Amino acid sequence: QNGAALYQQESYYARNLINRFSQINGTTITRPIPVGGILDKSDSRGLNYGLRGQLQYQTLIGDKHEIDAIAGAEQREIKNSSNGYRSYGYNDDLLTFAAVDYVSVFPAYMGLSFNSSIENNNFFTETLNRFVSLYANAAYTYDRRYTISGSIRKDASNLFGVETNQKGVPLWSAGLAWNITNESFFTSTAINNLKLRSSYGFSGNVNNNLAAFTTIRYNTAAGTINNLPFAIVQNAPNAQLRWERVRTWNIGLDMSVFNSRINANIDYYRRRTTDLLGTEPTDPTTGFSTGVLNAASTKGDGLEFLINTKNLVGKLKWESDMLFSYQQSRVSAYGSSLSRASLIVGTGNALNPQKDYPLYGIYSYKWEGLDAQDGSPIGLFNGQASKDYTAIVNNTPFEDLVFHGSAIPIFNTALRNTFSYKGWSVSANITYKAGYFFRRATINYSQLYSNTITHPDYELRWQRPGDELRTQVPAATYPANAQRETFHTNASHTVEKGDHIRLQDLRISYDISNKAKSFPLKHIQLFLYGNNMGILWQASKVNIDPDFGFNNIPPAATYAFGIRAGF
């Protein structure tokens, strides 16, 4: 796969980068980044190899005993490699470029208060992962009423352990099922199928970004201090690195009624996860202050409900499919929960585990409004209104933060209705998400001055006494106070409820059936399809898509027209 991005000389990106590194001495201007375009090119390649062998056994003994079993082994190798380079001063017409100095450090303009070297986008990367699996499962059914099943497998990866016997993890599960419909005492004519089932077992997760061995990255340029080659340790050694283990108990009910006009599946599960990977402090004498270790556990439960109904049959058909799910999990143990407030607050997209709280939660500094005299944001520290932003950001204890709730929807519902009449068909999918929060972006004056990143909230900023009654956007100050901006952008007033209803997709089609035997096409369908159609309702009053609330652009609505034909 090849990729290329060309920033023409007239583009903002190229002009801004060239100007930032320009050195002015009187009337003389020296440009470490030459005038011209900037070209980024990359190439990536992936090779996957797999070998799998499987045996299957099925038999029926008499009229009441059924056995179904499989066993097999699988081996996979996944190799990914990529490379890329950047050319400065690129001329698209002449296909020329200029060399630059990646080693020297230059004073940078545009509000940056530090010196910087020119970004070097030349790189080579390669990863090799190997996996081995052994598995078997079997099921025994008696008289089409009672079923007992079990499975066992062992997965191993070259990412784990320093000894061969440490690289794998044994996993298993067992299940029971009772087909009540086939019992002699079951005489209902309304219920066509009624089946109760339950299972219990263990599964495993792997993080391909970690390894038990030390991994380092060699830098392509010399160091700025001694002009010598150097490397960066990307992964500290961890001989105890192991699989994340997930224990799940599930109970479910399958049911069909009224000649399968209504079909329903209900599942309730409880899940416990151990050996979750999390950031932990380590012995500083090892050279690492923290490490990603198997240090956390979570517990949660959930409910899933799937129903299909045939509301109308005949010439006009109306069919509905609804999926409802509830899921919530909390951290049951974590060796060293994060203590600094600045590491806990944020958008909720990153792991910030706290015992007895969701794995992905939204936390904020307490917001006390704006100062009526100068428009400065006011927080809370030690129970008192405060503008000591350094103390608020660095020393606010966890119990003084505002916990809003989960950053992931707790309730998810999807409802699809399909109407058919003769050759026409109309299908619409409406989704509903609830029970979660998101942080919206706002103006950050530090980013505005350093990288010219602005936001529409700039127009709402406090400018004169009395504005604090109509706005929550602080006054602009120069130079910007980074801690002030961190507090303001992560305070409780920037958090919104994420509950919303969305028209996910809409499909209209028309089928043309051809009955002429001499014509090769027997079936033709014309269709119009729209996806990401838009939000119908949302709890938040701000005009922001809750699923893409923080500096993310939601996917645009897409429309497609097509023809399908069958021979």
Side-chain angles (χ1 to χ4, degrees), residues 231-462:
I232 299 174
V233 177
Q234 286 195 295
N235 186 79
N238 180 10
Q240 303 302 316
L241 182 67
R242 53 194 181 274
W243 294 72
E244 296 179 333
R245 290 169 62 88
V246 182
R247 181 182 65 187
T248 304
W249 171 71
N250 172 85
I251 186 169
L253 181 69
D254 303 327
M255 183 172 60
S256 298
V257 299
F258 304 129
N259 293 323
S260 299
R261 289 282 296 270
I262 301 176
N263 302 281
N265 305 94
I266 304 173
D267 284 274
Y268 170 78
Y269 62 87
R270 301 187 67 181
R271 184 168 294 157
R272 302 292 183 265
T273 306
T274 57
D275 291 335
L276 277 174
L277 293 166
T279 302
E280 281 279 281
T282 57
D283 185 351
T285 61
T286 62
F288 302 93
S289 59
T290 61
V292 181
L293 311 176
N294 298 95
S297 300
T298 65
K299 60 181 179 180
D301 53 7
L303 178 68
E304 293 183 354
F305 183 78
L306 176 63
I307 183 171
N308 168 264
T309 61
K310 297 178 176 62
N311 309 306
L312 292 176
V313 295
K315 290 185 177 181
L316 175 62
K317 297 181 177 63
W318 173 23
E319 185 172 339
S320 300
D321 294 281
M322 187 183 76
L323 171 64
F324 167 82
S325 69
Y326 160 84
Q327 56 180 354
Q328 189 169 22
S329 62
R330 293 184 177 271
V331 178
S332 56
Y334 188 42
S336 177
S337 294
L338 299 174
S339 57
R340 290 183 57 187
S342 59
L343 300 176
I344 301 172
V345 300
T347 63
N349 296 328
L351 284 173
N352 49 7
Q354 301 294 318
K355 191 174 184 299
D356 298 326
Y357 287 86
L359 193 59
Y360 292 91
I362 294 281
Y363 306 87
S364 298
Y365 302 110
K366 291 183 179 179
W367 177 256
E368 295 293 316
L370 299 177
D371 189 306
Q373 302 302 315
D374 60 8
S376 297
I378 302 174
L380 204 66
F381 187 69
N382 288 335
Q384 302 294 324
S386 174
K387 292 196 291 184
D388 186 349
Y389 307 117
T390 300
I392 294 173
V393 169
N394 294 325
N395 301 319
T396 297
F398 174 75
E399 54 270 18
D400 286 348
L401 293 176
V402 178
F403 171 67
H404 301 275
S406 173
I408 299 174
I410 297 176
F411 300 96
N412 288 273
T413 304
L415 175 62
R416 179 178 292 279
N417 283 290
T418 302
F419 297 88
S420 302
Y421 181 73
K422 295 185 177 179
W424 289 95
S425 178
V426 178
S427 175
N429 183 26
I430 297 176
T431 61
Y432 171 61
K433 295 182 179 181
Y436 75 115
F437 296 82
F438 72 97
R439 187 180 303 281
R440 58 178 174 84
T442 185
I443 186 67
N444 184 313
Y445 296 115
S446 292
Q447 294 182 357
L448 175 65
Y449 302 147
S450 63
N451 296 313
T452 65
I453 298 176
T454 188
H455 190 276
D457 280 358
Y458 180 80
E459 298 295 331
L460 304 176
R461 71 192 185 283
W462 187 99

Side-chain angles (χ1 to χ4, degrees), residues 67-359:
I67 300 176
D68 193 344
I70 61 171
E74 182 181 13
Q75 181 173 339
R76 290 182 293 132
E77 178 178 294
I78 303 173
K79 184 177 182 180
N80 294 311
S81 61
S82 61
N83 62 81
Y85 64 88
R86 165 169 286 191
S87 296
Y88 290 98
Y90 181 75
N91 187 309
D92 195 30
D93 294 325
L94 303 178
L95 301 180
T96 58
F97 65 96
V100 298
D101 182 358
Y102 292 115
V103 177
S104 300
V105 176
F106 303 95
Y109 293 92
M110 293 297 292
L112 295 178
S113 59
F114 55 87
N115 296 337
S116 178
S117 58
I118 299 174
E119 183 179 2
N120 187 344
N121 273 15
N122 302 329
F123 66 89
F124 291 88
T125 64
E126 184 173 305
T127 59
L128 177 63
N129 293 322
R130 293 191 175 104
F131 302 90
V132 176
S133 299
L134 301 173
Y135 61 91
N137 65 65
Y140 166 72
T141 301
Y142 174 73
D143 198 23
R144 297 185 301 118
R145 291 182 292 166
Y146 314 111
T147 299
I148 181 172
S149 61
S151 68
I152 186 170
R153 64 181 297 141
K154 183 175 183 180
D155 290 306
S157 169
N158 64 333
L159 298 172
F160 297 98
V162 294
E163 302 292 341
T164 301
N165 60 1
Q166 296 176 331
K167 294 180 180 294
V169 57
L171 305 168
W172 63 271
S173 66
L176 296 170
W178 179 23
N179 194 334
I180 304 174
T181 314
N182 292 332
E183 293 287 357
S184 58
F185 61 79
F186 190 84
T187 58
S188 172
T189 58
I191 301 177
N192 314 113
N193 178 54
L194 186 63
K195 184 177 182 180
L196 183 66
R197 49 187 167 73
S198 181
S199 64
Y200 178 85
F202 292 84
S203 59
N205 294 326
V206 58
N207 185 341
N208 291 336
N209 295 321
L210 298 175
F213 296 96
T214 306
T215 56
I216 63 175
R217 175 175 62 84
Y218 290 95
N219 203 62
T220 56
T224 57
I225 298 176
N226 53 18
N227 201 29
L228 294 175
F230 70 97
I232 299 174
V233 177
Q234 286 195 295
N235 186 79
N238 180 10
Q240 303 302 316
L241 182 67
R242 53 194 181 274
W243 294 72
E244 296 179 333
R245 290 169 62 88
V246 182
R247 181 182 65 187
T248 304
W249 171 71
N250 172 85
I251 186 169
L253 181 69
D254 303 327
M255 183 172 60
S256 298
V257 299
F258 304 129
N259 293 323
S260 299
R261 289 282 296 270
I262 301 176
N263 302 281
N265 305 94
I266 304 173
D267 284 274
Y268 170 78
Y269 62 87
R270 301 187 67 181
R271 184 168 294 157
R272 302 292 183 265
T273 306
T274 57
D275 291 335
L276 277 174
L277 293 166
T279 302
E280 281 279 281
T282 57
D283 185 351
T285 61
T286 62
F288 302 93
S289 59
T290 61
V292 181
L293 311 176
N294 298 95
S297 300
T298 65
K299 60 181 179 180
D301 53 7
L303 178 68
E304 293 183 354
F305 183 78
L306 176 63
I307 183 171
N308 168 264
T309 61
K310 297 178 176 62
N311 309 306
L312 292 176
V313 295
K315 290 185 177 181
L316 175 62
K317 297 181 177 63
W318 173 23
E319 185 172 339
S320 300
D321 294 281
M322 187 183 76
L323 171 64
F324 167 82
S325 69
Y326 160 84
Q327 56 180 354
Q328 189 169 22
S329 62
R330 293 184 177 271
V331 178
S332 56
Y334 188 42
S336 177
S337 294
L338 299 174
S339 57
R340 290 183 57 187
S342 59
L343 300 176
I344 301 172
V345 300
T347 63
N349 296 328
L351 284 173
N352 49 7
Q354 301 294 318
K355 191 174 184 299
D356 298 326
Y357 287 86
L359 193 59

Side-chain angles (χ1 to χ4, degrees), residues 404-524:
H404 301 275
S406 173
I408 299 174
I410 297 176
F411 300 96
N412 288 273
T413 304
L415 175 62
R416 179 178 292 279
N417 283 290
T418 302
F419 297 88
S420 302
Y421 181 73
K422 295 185 177 179
W424 289 95
S425 178
V426 178
S427 175
N429 183 26
I430 297 176
T431 61
Y432 171 61
K433 295 182 179 181
Y436 75 115
F437 296 82
F438 72 97
R439 187 180 303 281
R440 58 178 174 84
T442 185
I443 186 67
N444 184 313
Y445 296 115
S446 292
Q447 294 182 357
L448 175 65
Y449 302 147
S450 63
N451 296 313
T452 65
I453 298 176
T454 188
H455 190 276
D457 280 358
Y458 180 80
E459 298 295 331
L460 304 176
R461 71 192 185 283
W462 187 99
Q463 299 183 66
R464 60 184 62 86
D467 286 352
E468 69 278 358
L469 301 177
R470 64 165 183 83
T471 185
Q472 298 291 303
V473 182
T477 58
Y478 186 88
N481 181 333
Q483 301 286 39
R484 178 184 188 260
E485 300 309 305
T486 298
F487 164 70
H488 159 56
T489 56
N490 290 284
S492 56
H493 72 293
T494 62
V495 173
E496 306 284 344
K497 290 195 67 174
D499 301 15
H500 69 278
I501 299 174
R502 184 192 306 270
L503 177 58
Q504 186 61 48
D505 61 74
L506 177 68
R507 191 177 192 275
I508 302 174
S509 65
Y510 180 67
D511 288 344
I512 303 173
S513 298
N514 179 48
K515 297 182 180 180
K517 296 182 179 181
S518 59
F519 195 70
L521 296 179
K522 303 302 180 183
H523 174 78
I524 301 175

